[in-house]
Amino acid sequence: AVTDRFHQRRIDNNAAMLELPEVNIKVKQGTISIHPYGRSGSRQIVTEAMLAAGEAIAKFCTENNIPIPYASQIEPEEIHHPKVPSEHYAYRRCFKASRHATESSSHFGLGLPSYTRVTSPMRRYLDLIVHQQLRAFLTKQPLLEHEALVERIGLSDEASLASRKAERYSNQHWTLLYLKQESTPEAGSPDKKWQGEAIVVMENERQTTVILPELALEPKLRRKENLKLDQSIT
């Protein structure tokens, strides 16, 4: 009930509830598997609780003058409430990347007036910085000064860009190897080719962009006149 109310509050603040596919890629003993993430109730509860924690800590740090890296995102030129896949895809393209700063500001995409990332200190350096600042405040130890915090934000953001690029290439690499794996004839069986659903999400003069929900892949095809937005094809 608590996370439902928090979720509704974010919706009321025009949070971008983008519904685009995400997948989990695993490689075990040379075999690749790809499974779409479900949208279960438990997953939603965890997501909202993590966002609520981020907002609560941001508010606490602001009230107590604790320097931390706040995460913010500016509002796009137009606010939409997408309903079909093509609208979700188009709306995502309107957003600028979130940024980190030492002053609190609203995060439009999340629908929050103030926010910091705090729930993953083992994999995100700036989350760890927030934990260290909180611990120092609670134990009455010296806090990081503004200049030192700015330096850490800059170094972390630079490394984060590189890691996100590496992650994107890695996911693409294993997805293509998965398609190769699924299109290799097995012993005693005829040739097989991977087949799945594709949804048309964007068209221009030369190309048609589709999303493959099972793989979270977004290939571009030569434009075909007989396709329409949100049409499902094999």
Side-chain angles (χ1 to χ4, degrees), residues 158-218:
E158 184 179 349
S160 180
L161 283 172
S163 66
R164 287 201 301 271
K165 184 177 181 180
E167 180 183 18
R168 186 169 65 251
Y169 284 153
S170 177
N171 287 341
Q172 185 182 57
H173 168 80
W174 290 110
T175 301
L176 294 177
L177 284 182
Y178 172 80
L179 288 171
K180 183 178 180 180
Q181 167 189 289
E182 294 301 301
S183 298
T184 302
E186 297 175 339
S189 67
D191 289 358
K192 64 175 183 177
K193 298 284 186 183
W194 183 89
Q195 282 194 333
E197 181 190 26
I199 300 173
V200 179
V201 291
M202 190 175 75
E203 288 189 299
N204 58 32
E205 293 180 357
R206 297 183 178 181
Q207 293 179 321
T208 296
T209 303
V210 299
I211 287 181
L212 280 63
E214 292 179 53
L215 304 178
L217 204 60
E218 301 175 7

Side-chain angles (χ1 to χ4, degrees), residues 101-229:
T102 56
E103 293 185 4
S104 176
S105 184
S106 64
H107 195 297
F108 175 81
L110 299 178
L112 296 175
S114 182
Y115 180 66
T116 186
R117 296 186 174 96
V118 69
T119 54
S120 298
M122 290 190 293
R123 69 181 181 88
R124 284 195 302 244
Y125 178 60
L126 291 184
D127 293 42
L128 180 62
I129 291 291
V130 177
H131 279 247
Q132 291 171 341
Q133 291 289 79
L134 286 170
R135 186 182 301 112
F137 175 80
L138 295 172
T139 57
K140 295 180 171 50
Q141 299 297 313
L143 296 168
L144 273 179
E145 298 291 341
H146 178 266
E147 292 75 14
L149 181 59
V150 169
E151 180 183 11
R152 282 161 172 75
I153 289 174
L155 292 171
S156 178
D157 283 351
E158 184 179 349
S160 180
L161 283 172
S163 66
R164 287 201 301 271
K165 184 177 181 180
E167 180 183 18
R168 186 169 65 251
Y169 284 153
S170 177
N171 287 341
Q172 185 182 57
H173 168 80
W174 290 110
T175 301
L176 294 177
L177 284 182
Y178 172 80
L179 288 171
K180 183 178 180 180
Q181 167 189 289
E182 294 301 301
S183 298
T184 302
E186 297 175 339
S189 67
D191 289 358
K192 64 175 183 177
K193 298 284 186 183
W194 183 89
Q195 282 194 333
E197 181 190 26
I199 300 173
V200 179
V201 291
M202 190 175 75
E203 288 189 299
N204 58 32
E205 293 180 357
R206 297 183 178 181
Q207 293 179 321
T208 296
T209 303
V210 299
I211 287 181
L212 280 63
E214 292 179 53
L215 304 178
L217 204 60
E218 301 175 7
K220 299 183 188 301
L221 316 174
R222 288 184 182 176
R223 172 154 184 169
K224 298 180 180 179
E225 297 296 331
N226 60 336
L227 297 180
K228 298 180 180 179
L229 287 179

Side-chain angles (χ1 to χ4, degrees), residues 47-87:
T47 298
E48 298 297 335
M50 291 170 67
L51 295 176
E55 184 188 23
I57 294 300
K59 183 178 179 181
F60 180 84
C61 290
T62 300
E63 291 174 348
N64 290 280
N65 296 315
I66 305 172
I68 62 166
Y70 295 93
S72 64
Q73 185 181 55
I74 64 173
E75 184 176 315
E77 293 182 3
E78 294 184 16
I79 298 174
H80 297 281
H81 299 283
K83 293 181 172 59
V84 294
S86 63
E87 293 175 355

Side-chain angles (χ1 to χ4, degrees), residues 24-34 173-174 177 181:
N24 183 20
I25 303 174
K26 289 186 178 181
V27 184
K28 187 175 182 180
Q29 296 180 342
T31 300
I32 308 161
S33 62
I34 300 180
H173 168 80
W174 290 110
L177 284 182
Q181 167 189 289

